[in-house]
Amino acid sequence: MTSHLSDAILVCEDGRFFHHNGFDSQAIRSSIRDNLLRGKFIRGGSTVSMQLAKNLYLRREKTVSRKLQEAALTLLLEQSFTKNEIMELYLNVVELGPGIYGVGEASQFYFGTTPAALSPAQALYLASILPNPKVMHFAADGRVSAGWLKQVRRLLTIAHSR
């Protein structure tokens, strides 16, 4: 697997992944603030570890009990695996399109290649769709839409600066 994938996840999903214990208190606080300001749920504060716990073990419903289970499972994952192992597991189970799970399947579906051969832009495209992987960002001709291409270019700039 190319390192571009984990770098892309850090840019798009969890920039402090290697520096927290499974919970990013700054992201959680920002999420709560933003959701309260908008008066509705617009974004979460989940880390890669939290998302992995949810993807591996839990149903999708949003309840307090499920969030508590997610927290306990996140602690177990963080105690049982290295950060690199957690990232690898995450990349192999995450949903990257309707019925598309893991970067192996997604790399083949979107780009006709393997995860090891993905370019930085391709890796950032995959990471950029994670918040809503069921939405396709393609124009009628099959190319990435102009708006989403602009988003990927913005992410490339962020990745390059880091």
Side-chain angles (χ1 to χ4, degrees):
M1 204 177 291
T2 178
S3 64
H4 300 312
L5 282 165
S6 57
D7 293 344
I9 296 299
L10 296 178
V11 169
C12 296
E13 290 289 299
D14 189 353
R16 289 180 286 281
F17 174 72
F18 287 103
H19 306 288
H20 61 63
N21 64 352
F23 305 94
D24 185 343
S25 57
Q26 183 179 342
I28 292 169
R29 279 193 306 274
S30 295
S31 171
I32 291 168
R33 182 195 66 233
D34 293 350
N35 293 337
L36 288 173
L37 286 172
R38 290 274 181 100
K40 63 182 179 177
F41 183 83
I42 57 167
R43 73 180 191 102
S46 293
T47 63
V48 165
S49 302
M50 295 168 74
Q51 291 175 46
L52 178 62
K54 178 182 64 179
N55 289 341
L56 287 177
Y57 303 112
L58 301 171
R59 296 178 192 263
R60 297 285 179 242
E61 76 266 4
K62 292 185 179 186
T63 64
V64 173
S65 65
R66 195 209 36 101
K67 283 306 252 183
L68 292 173
Q69 290 173 327
E70 181 181 309
L73 290 166
T74 297
L75 289 172
L76 286 171
L77 285 171
E78 286 279 336
Q79 292 170 4
S80 301
F81 299 100
T82 67
K83 288 290 193 174
N84 287 330
E85 290 169 332
I86 290 170
M87 181 65 77
E88 182 178 353
L89 284 167
Y90 176 76
L91 288 168
N92 280 299
V93 301
V94 69
E95 184 178 18
L96 288 158
I100 301 169
Y101 293 91
V103 294
E105 192 175 339
S107 298
Q108 188 60 47
F109 178 81
Y110 292 109
F111 305 111
T113 192
T114 65
L118 290 173
S119 70
Q122 290 168 330
L124 279 164
Y125 172 80
L126 292 178
S128 75
I129 65 175
L130 283 169
N132 195 355
K134 290 187 167 64
V135 172
M136 292 295 179
H137 302 285
F138 297 102
D141 64 1
R143 295 178 185 211
V144 175
S145 69
W148 207 254
L149 190 56
K150 183 178 178 181
Q151 168 73 353
V152 172
R153 284 188 180 126
R154 186 182 70 76
L155 294 171
L156 275 167
T157 301
I158 292 168
H160 180 73
S161 71
R162 289 185 183 176

